[in-house]
Amino acid sequence: QVQLVQSGAEVKKPGASVKVSCKASGYTFTSYDINWVRQATGQGLEWMGWMNPNNDNTGYAQKFQGRVTMTRNTSISTAYMELSSLRSEDTAVYYCARAWNWRFDPWGQGTLVTVSS
Amino acid sequence: SYELTQPPSVSVSPGQTASITCSGDKLGDKYACWYQQKPGQSPVLVIYQDSKRPSGIPERFSGSNSGNTATLTISGTQAMDEADYYCQAWDSSLVVFGGGTKLTIL
């Protein structure tokens, strides 16, 4: 079945970077965009951007421009999201999701990133 | 920037119909979809392209989208439907989520 499996929880200090992975299985990885969404505790969903695994094109929400980088390794069907210059407000669960026909389906299980000194 | 507005909370008695709205400028000209999220879980798609149900989603979930408002309707609500619900739409190549609605089954 189509599945996205993300890397484990991370604890980072302010100013550091974090790189979260998202491994796809059950479909052709290069045929669908991967999007990243985050959710702070008790808050709503916040879209961060998208990446086309076929041609490496990306698009980022303005809020994250300059701090986020989305990449992929097609040989292992894995997408990555790296966020730099971390601050406490970046503490959240980060999700990857496959995008197709105007929807996100499925979603990964989420990765908790905690930013704390 | 484009915004989608949802009521923070909706309450309904078991077996009744719950309606959750999502408002945005000319939203009816875009495709809307809806996600259900239960505590500690990832969001799950329940409606896409305004009114289509993914396989495995019960028939009691339905959707519509016209004018400035998309609506998620849950008929004959059950206790298991208690969750947060988020609408989503695309504005050009950008993705927008509504703020979410907490559905409480009384």
Side-chain angles (χ1 to χ4, degrees), chain A residues 27-103:
Chain A
Y27 73 97
T28 301
F29 177 63
T30 51
S31 295
Y32 303 89
D33 289 356
I34 291 289
N35 281 244
W36 291 87
V37 177
R38 76 177 187 180
Q39 184 174 39
T41 302
Q43 302 301 308
L45 303 174
E46 182 175 32
W47 179 73
M48 299 180 70
W50 61 270
M51 186 268 304
N52 182 323
N54 185 50
N55 57 22
D56 209 24
N57 284 350
T58 56
Y60 304 138
Q62 188 172 10
K63 175 177 180 176
F64 300 102
Q65 291 271 2
R67 275 210 308 145
V68 70
T69 304
M70 297 177 187
T71 58
R72 91 295 194 222
N73 182 335
T74 56
S75 67
I76 56 172
S77 299
T78 300
Y80 303 93
M81 186 284 300
E82 184 169 21
L83 188 63
S84 62
S85 302
L86 290 170
R87 34 205 186 237
S88 58
E89 310 90 89
D90 294 317
T91 294
V93 175
Y94 290 76
Y95 295 100
C96 62
R98 185 181 72 162
W100 62 296
N101 285 358
W102 308 104
R103 59 199 192 251

Side-chain angles (χ1 to χ4, degrees), chain B:
Chain B
S1 61
Y2 194 77
E3 294 185 358
L4 294 175
T5 301
Q6 298 180 234
S9 63
V10 168
S11 299
V12 66
S13 299
Q16 299 301 304
T17 296
S19 294
I20 300 173
T21 58
C22 173
S23 300
D25 185 50
K26 298 180 181 178
L27 180 57
D29 293 342
K30 312 175 191 298
Y31 275 135
C33 58
W34 291 89
Y35 301 92
Q36 176 193 69
Q37 186 181 34
K38 296 181 178 179
Q41 298 183 17
S42 302
V44 172
L45 180 72
V46 293
I47 293 290
Y48 68 99
Q49 291 182 11
D50 297 337
S51 59
K52 297 180 180 179
R53 268 182 299 104
S55 60
I57 299 302
E59 290 184 9
R60 63 179 181 272
F61 288 84
S62 63
S64 64
N65 184 17
S66 179
N68 295 323
T69 304
T71 302
L72 172 68
T73 302
I74 309 172
S75 305
T77 54
Q78 301 181 9
M80 68 175 65
D81 299 330
E82 185 163 286
D84 293 327
Y85 290 85
Y86 295 91
C87 61
Q88 179 199 34
W90 269 257
D91 181 46
S92 298
S93 60
L94 304 179
V95 173
V96 182
F97 287 100
T101 298
K102 180 175 182 57
L103 176 65
T104 301
I105 312 299
L106 299 171

